[in-house]
């Protein structure tokens, strides 16, 4: 039993090695994915790094990452498979005069099949990471289809028959909560709520991604971001924005936020992505925030 | 990563612990968690895989398994601690010893939790009550004769006093809601014009033509059912109309596949859960507390701000109509109301504002709040009697 715990601890270490700073709860959830063979549903605000979890997981296992971006109107054709119509038309021309049913059998066969993410994931030689991104944007019908695939890991193509999984992918689903996803799908999944990182972890992330940054500056940036997120903003800056902001600071060679607050204000475009938010954080507000955190 | 091969759980907790664990799962269910048999079995596998004394890992693992919503996620630790450590025994999870511990008193399910769901079945769809209660009551109505019904439909809600009239008014509201939905569904079926070619079928059919796509097949654009969000003003000035509209909302909720309902006075309350109670009288009882004894005016702007911030993302999608039922007497800042209305306008497809006062003679929308909101409203209509509600039907069918 203790060896299992060790494996669980190893996940945190290996994630750190691939540049992802995970908290204990997330490491536990990732470990459970393998133990219980369940998909992991990640929920949280936009920008907290949900997609990054899947990328880190792929790096951790050295597995290919197959991404399925969901959108309203996503159907099975886009998610599962499609026929290569151009090739089919050419083949029909080439076989003109032959028996129609023979032609038909030929053009609806493996070489004419185009894999889409889900089919690619279950037909991969090695266990892939299947990232079903923003599953809440797809509609209810797709959710039901996804639930079926996630429990059986086999799909049926009418012209070809049933295709069983060559390997069972590790599945990560993300949701921004724009729509309630069904209880059945939720119940099938492990659940992890991704929150904005606390200050220490944000410092760790900045330092992991920008190894050259001074520790004091990384701390200032993390503190400033914590303060900015408390302001009443329409679009709260996420981790990606933090990293852009830190990169910009390094770029202009500023090692202390207090050194030139107006330059910092100019760099806020890396953090604030709407006009209203930019108008809200005036020079005075920024100076006040910097004075507080530096 | 190399994980030891995982077999079916061979780890036996022992009878008392199993019972205690089952009680824990029941306690979670009564707190709104959806946990089936498969989850309980997986929990046992977790027990096998980690040392039971390692509480932090155990909690994190069970939380990931049992939670399926953010709210579950946030309350799990408290429930876990209350259940297993109610006696202040901290640091260990001693299954066998805790047999005698009194079962944690379960808080009654909140109004939004619904009955505890168990077993492997999916959560049932919202009961589609369009057919049964409405048609049953409708049948009785027809016995009353068309003329009587017509008179009733013109009667101002304020003047419907006796119980029998009220009941029939409710039945009419139910039927009206059902009618709106049928209209919508029919419209969906009629939309057959394709925009995109269905290549798969075109290729199939072109084989016989030597590969020339002669017979074209189109893909029909699937139309989505209309979603409805209703916000009902239950402040003092609306009190004469509240029961009738609550009933109307209940009818709408039953017949729309996707509908959410909110009440507001000085603040906004999500009553969709309470409303899905099948028996309308019980539904009304369940949230009568929310509507009663409200003083201190109507803060429409603030209520809308709450809606925009907390509920809009979840309830509003592209084909969503927002229906606000209010007299527009705003005691907050009209500017705020205008700002929130404009934010709401950007999100949804149509805003319908129903104002009971608008049915009165010589009414002009002069209340400050009403004036501030009007520029953002697509349809401003009276709603003082059933006839005025019925007049809405063709409009909603077009949304």
């Amino acid at each position: 039993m203790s060896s299992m715990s060790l494996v669980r601890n190893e996940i945190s270490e290996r994630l750190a090695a691939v540049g992802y700073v995970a908290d204990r709860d997330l490491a536990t959830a990732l470990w459970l994915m393998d133990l219980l063979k369940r998909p992991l549903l990640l929920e949280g605000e936009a920008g907290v790094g949900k997609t990054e979890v899947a990328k880190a997981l792929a790096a951790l296992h050295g597995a290919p990452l197959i991404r399925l971006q969901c959108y309203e109107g996503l159907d099975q054709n886009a998610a599962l498979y499609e026929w290569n119509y151009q090739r089919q038309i050419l083949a029909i021309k080439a076989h003109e005069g032959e028996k129609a049913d023979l032609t038909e059998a030929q053009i609806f066969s493996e070489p004419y099949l185009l894999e889409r993410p889900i089919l690619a994931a279950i037909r991969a030689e090695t266990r892939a990471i299947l990232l079903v991104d923003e599953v809440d944007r797809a509609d209810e019908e797709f959710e039901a289809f996804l639930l079926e695939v996630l429990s059986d890991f086999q799909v049926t193509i009418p012209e070809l028959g049933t295709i069983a999984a060559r390997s069972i992918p590790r599945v990560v689903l993300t949701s921004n909560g724009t729509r309630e996803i069904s209880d059945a799908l939720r119940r099938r999944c492990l659940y992890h709520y991704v929150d904005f990182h606390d200050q220490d972890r944000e410092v760790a992330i900045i330092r992991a991604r920008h190894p050259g940054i001074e520790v004091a500056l990384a701390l200032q940036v993390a503190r400033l971001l914590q303060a900015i997120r408390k302001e009443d903003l329409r679009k709260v800056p996420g981790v990606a924005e933090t990293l852009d902001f830190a990169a910009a600071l390094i770029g202009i060679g500023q090692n202390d936020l207090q050194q030139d607050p107006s330059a910092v204000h100019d760099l806020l475009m890396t953090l604030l992505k709407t006009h209203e938010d930019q108008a809200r954080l005036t020079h005075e507000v920024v100076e006040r925030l910097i004075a507080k955190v530096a | 990563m190399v994980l030891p091969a995982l077999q079916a759980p061979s780890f036996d907790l022992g009878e008392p612990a199993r019972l205690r664990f089952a009680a824990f799962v029941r306690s979670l269910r009564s707190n709104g968690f959806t946990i089936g048999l498969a989850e309980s079995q997986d929990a046992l596998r977790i027990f096998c895989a980690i040392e039971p004394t390692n509480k932090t890992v155990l909690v994190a693992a069970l939380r990931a398994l049992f939670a399926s919503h953010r709210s579950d996620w946030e309350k799990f630790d408290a429930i876990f601690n209350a259940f297993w450590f109610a006696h202040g025994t901290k640091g260990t999870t001693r299954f066998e010893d805790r047999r005698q511990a009194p079962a944690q008193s379960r808080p009654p399910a909140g109004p939004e939790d619904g009955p505890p769901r168990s077993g492997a079945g999916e959560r049932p769809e919202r009961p589609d009550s369009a057919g049964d209660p409405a048609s049953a009551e409708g049948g009785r109505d027809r016995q009353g004769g068309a003329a009587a019904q017509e008179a009733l439909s013109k009667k101002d809600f304020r003047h419907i006093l006796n119980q029998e009239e009220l009941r029939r008014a409710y039945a009419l509201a139910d039927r009206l809601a059902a009618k709106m939905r049928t209209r919508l569904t029919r419209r969906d079926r009629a939309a057959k014009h394709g925009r995109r070619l269905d290549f798969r079928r075109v290729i199939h059919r072109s084989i016989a033509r030597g590969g020339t796509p002669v017979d074209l097949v189109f893909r029909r654009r699937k139309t989505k059912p209309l979603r409805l969000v209703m916000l009902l003003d239950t402040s003092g000035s609306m009190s004469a109309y509240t029961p009738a509209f609550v009933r109307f909302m209940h009818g709408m909720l039953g017949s729309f596949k996707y509908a959410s309902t909110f009440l507001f006075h000085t603040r906004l309350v999500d009553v969709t859960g309470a409303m899905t109670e099948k028996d309308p009288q019980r539904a009304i009882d369940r949230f009568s507390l929310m509507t009663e004894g409200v003083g201190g005016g109507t803060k429409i702007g603030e209520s809308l701000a709450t809606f925009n911030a907390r509920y809009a993302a979840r309830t509003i999608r592209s084909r969503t109509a927002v229906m606000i039922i209010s007299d527009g007497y705003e005691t907050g800042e009209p500017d705020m109301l205008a700002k929130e209305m404009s934010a709401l306008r950007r999100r949804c497809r149509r805003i319908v504002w129903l104002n009971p006062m608008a049915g009165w003679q010589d009414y002009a929308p002069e209340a400050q709040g009403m004036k501030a909101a009007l520029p953002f409203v697509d349809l401003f209509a009276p709603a003082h009697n059933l006839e005025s509600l019925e007049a809405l039907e063709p409009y909603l069918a077009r949304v």
Side-chain angles (χ1 to χ4, degrees):
Chain A
M1 277 189 208
S2 61
S3 71
M4 289 299 294
S5 300
L6 202 80
V7 170
R8 193 188 57 79
N9 292 334
E10 256 176 38
I11 289 182
S12 297
E13 287 162 25
R14 292 204 193 182
L15 280 175
V18 296
Y20 189 88
V21 185
D23 60 25
R24 288 176 61 116
D25 290 353
L26 180 59
T28 305
L30 294 178
W31 164 71
L32 279 185
M33 279 177 79
D34 277 350
L35 178 73
L36 305 177
K37 307 231 169 5
R38 281 175 185 258
L40 175 64
L41 170 63
L42 298 171
E43 268 194 322
E45 303 280 317
V48 291
K50 298 185 291 292
T51 306
E52 287 302 308
V53 175
K55 289 184 184 162
L57 197 61
L60 170 87
H61 291 292
L65 176 69
I66 298 172
R67 177 172 174 162
L68 173 63
Q69 173 66 49
C70 298
Y71 50 87
E72 207 168 333
L74 173 68
D75 57 4
Q76 292 195 16
N77 289 359
L80 194 57
Y81 71 97
E82 191 57 283
W83 292 104
N84 189 338
Y85 302 120
Q86 288 89 341
R87 277 195 72 180
Q88 283 182 325
I89 290 174
L90 290 175
I92 298 170
K93 283 283 176 204
H95 291 85
E96 221 167 344
E98 291 175 26
K99 273 191 179 165
D101 49 350
L102 283 179
T103 313
E104 189 169 346
Q106 182 174 356
I107 64 167
F108 288 105
S109 64
E110 190 78 15
Y112 296 86
L113 191 67
L114 294 175
E115 282 179 347
R116 293 289 184 250
I118 291 181
L119 188 62
I122 67 168
R123 296 215 304 178
E125 291 293 340
T126 54
R127 288 186 77 181
I129 309 290
L130 175 62
L131 169 62
V132 184
D133 218 356
E134 306 191 5
V135 66
D136 49 331
R137 290 189 192 278
D139 47 24
E140 290 81 4
E141 290 89 340
F142 181 74
E143 230 174 71
F145 162 72
L146 191 62
L147 190 64
E148 192 187 320
V149 172
L150 291 183
S151 26
D152 299 345
F153 286 107
Q154 62 174 35
V155 294
T156 302
I157 297 176
E159 297 89 347
L160 278 184
T162 301
I163 296 181
R166 217 172 275 167
S167 62
I168 305 285
R170 294 181 174 90
V171 184
V172 177
L173 300 97
T174 75
S175 162
N176 287 334
T178 59
R179 179 177 65 81
E180 267 302 316
I181 55 182
S182 76
D183 276 12
L185 185 59
R186 284 181 184 276
R187 207 153 55 79
R188 179 82 198 101
C189 298
L190 298 168
Y191 181 88
H192 183 82
Y193 184 79
V194 190
D195 214 339
F196 283 109
H197 301 290
D198 60 29
Q199 188 181 308
D200 294 346
R201 231 144 44 82
E202 196 148 23
V203 171
I205 291 168
I206 297 170
R207 294 187 60 200
R209 292 300 182 85
H210 301 302
I213 197 168
E214 303 228 351
V215 182
L217 181 62
L219 190 62
Q220 281 185 345
V221 169
R223 277 200 202 138
L224 181 66
L225 259 294
Q226 302 284 333
I228 285 178
R229 288 192 190 116
K230 287 201 186 80
E231 297 288 312
D232 182 18
L233 296 176
R234 272 188 59 169
K235 166 106 185 51
V236 181
V239 192
E241 278 82 15
T242 309
L243 291 172
D244 285 349
F245 179 60
L249 283 172
I250 298 169
I252 61 168
Q254 192 160 353
N255 283 329
D256 184 351
L257 293 183
Q258 268 179 319
Q259 186 185 321
D260 187 359
S262 70
V264 174
H265 183 268
D266 292 342
L267 295 183
L268 286 184
M269 68 178 94
T270 57
L271 297 176
L272 307 175
K273 306 289 172 72
T274 73
H275 176 66
E276 279 176 37
D277 289 350
Q278 290 194 340
R280 194 180 290 269
L281 289 197
T282 57
H283 278 278
E284 292 74 42
V285 176
V286 172
E287 270 178 46
R288 177 172 56 80
L289 289 177
I290 290 177
K292 224 163 48 177
V293 301
Chain B
M1 169 153 321
V2 186
L3 288 175
L6 293 160
Q7 311 296 325
S10 55
F11 175 73
D12 191 14
L13 292 172
E15 180 73 11
R18 246 199 336 266
L19 290 177
R20 186 88 180 111
F21 179 71
F24 176 56
V25 169
R26 274 202 304 280
S27 164
L28 287 173
R29 281 190 190 130
S30 70
N31 277 289
F33 285 65
T34 31
I35 300 171
L37 195 60
E39 283 70 37
S40 304
Q41 282 170 345
D42 275 354
L44 292 181
R45 301 177 63 170
I46 292 176
F47 286 128
C48 304
I50 54 182
E51 292 168 67
T53 48
N54 193 343
K55 190 194 148 198
T56 33
V57 177
L58 185 68
V59 171
L62 290 180
R63 193 202 300 122
L65 177 66
F66 286 149
S68 47
H69 283 272
R70 184 182 179 181
S71 53
D72 296 348
W73 174 264
E74 280 163 354
K75 65 192 172 192
F76 182 86
D77 288 27
I79 297 171
F80 184 92
N81 286 326
F83 189 88
W84 296 103
F85 301 103
H87 281 230
T89 327
K90 288 209 166 85
T92 52
T93 317
R94 286 176 298 157
F95 294 107
E96 265 78 14
D97 297 354
R98 308 195 58 79
R99 170 169 35 163
Q100 308 302 335
Q104 185 68 18
S105 66
R106 278 184 248 136
E112 281 161 56
D113 287 346
R117 297 174 290 271
S118 59
E122 283 183 31
R123 181 187 200 165
E125 281 278 286
R126 174 172 300 148
D128 187 359
S129 58
D132 32 318
S135 56
E137 301 214 13
R140 251 174 298 168
D141 266 325
R142 273 193 291 280
Q143 291 170 5
Q149 191 174 316
E150 195 174 307
L152 180 65
S153 70
K154 286 199 170 123
K155 202 160 183 180
D156 194 291
F157 289 136
R158 283 175 305 161
H159 303 132
I160 299 180
L161 293 175
N162 84 39
Q163 280 297 312
E164 176 64 9
E165 276 185 336
L166 198 64
R167 192 192 58 74
R168 285 172 52 191
Y170 288 163
L172 251 172
D174 267 358
R175 277 197 301 136
L176 176 64
K179 214 154 119 193
M180 282 186 185
R181 181 171 177 238
T182 10
R183 175 69 67 89
L184 291 170
T185 343
R186 208 182 306 144
R187 177 181 174 275
D188 281 355
R189 267 195 224 116
K192 275 189 178 174
H193 306 286
R195 288 193 178 178
R196 287 156 53 204
L197 279 172
D198 188 335
F199 275 109
R200 199 170 291 181
R201 295 211 167 78
V202 169
I203 298 277
H204 258 293
R205 298 210 182 163
S206 67
I207 295 168
R209 307 266 190 182
T212 315
V214 177
D215 310 307
L216 298 184
V217 185
F218 288 95
R219 287 180 71 87
R220 257 180 297 171
R221 201 173 62 108
K222 227 167 133 182
T223 46
K224 298 214 158 174
L226 179 69
R227 287 165 175 260
L228 188 66
V229 172
M230 303 177 81
L231 302 160
L232 173 64
D233 183 344
T234 56
S235 60
S237 55
M238 286 282 291
S239 59
Y241 295 98
T242 304
F245 282 120
V246 164
R247 182 58 201 228
F248 177 63
M249 283 169 83
H250 185 261
M252 292 301 248
L253 208 50
S255 38
F256 273 76
K257 193 171 174 195
Y258 305 103
S260 320
T261 50
F262 298 85
L263 301 185
F264 66 93
H265 28 80
T266 49
R267 63 196 178 89
L268 181 89
V269 191
D270 182 357
V271 292
T272 314
M275 280 268 195
T276 37
E277 180 75 68
K278 233 191 153 178
D279 178 359
Q281 193 52 50
R282 269 224 307 266
I284 293 169
D285 292 347
R286 268 183 77 171
F287 60 80
S288 58
L289 281 177
M290 299 176 194
T291 57
E292 273 171 15
V294 176
T298 323
K299 301 220 165 80
I300 310 177
E302 259 178 54
S303 301
L304 282 182
T306 316
F307 177 78
N308 284 335
R310 289 186 47 198
Y311 301 102
R314 187 159 54 80
T315 53
I316 295 189
R317 302 190 60 195
S318 53
R319 260 181 69 78
T320 304
V322 175
M323 188 184 277
I324 300 172
I325 306 169
S326 166
D327 53 15
Y329 285 115
E330 166 77 319
T331 51
E333 280 296 308
D335 286 352
M336 181 175 190
L337 176 59
K339 185 170 150 261
E340 296 302 332
M341 282 297 287
S342 113
L344 185 62
R345 187 70 199 79
R346 282 201 300 266
R347 274 178 180 271
C348 68
R349 185 157 174 124
R350 291 281 187 275
I351 298 181
V352 180
W353 191 302
L354 301 184
N355 189 334
M357 312 287 169
W360 298 5
Q361 276 187 341
D362 307 324
Y363 172 84
E366 296 207 321
Q368 274 205 323
M370 205 58 251
K371 267 189 184 162
L374 266 185
F376 307 101
V377 172
D378 298 286
L379 177 73
F380 179 70
H384 58 297
N385 58 21
L386 286 162
E387 194 183 42
S388 61
L389 286 180
E390 255 166 335
L392 281 176
E393 189 200 333
Y395 175 81
L396 280 180
R398 270 187 286 115
V399 171

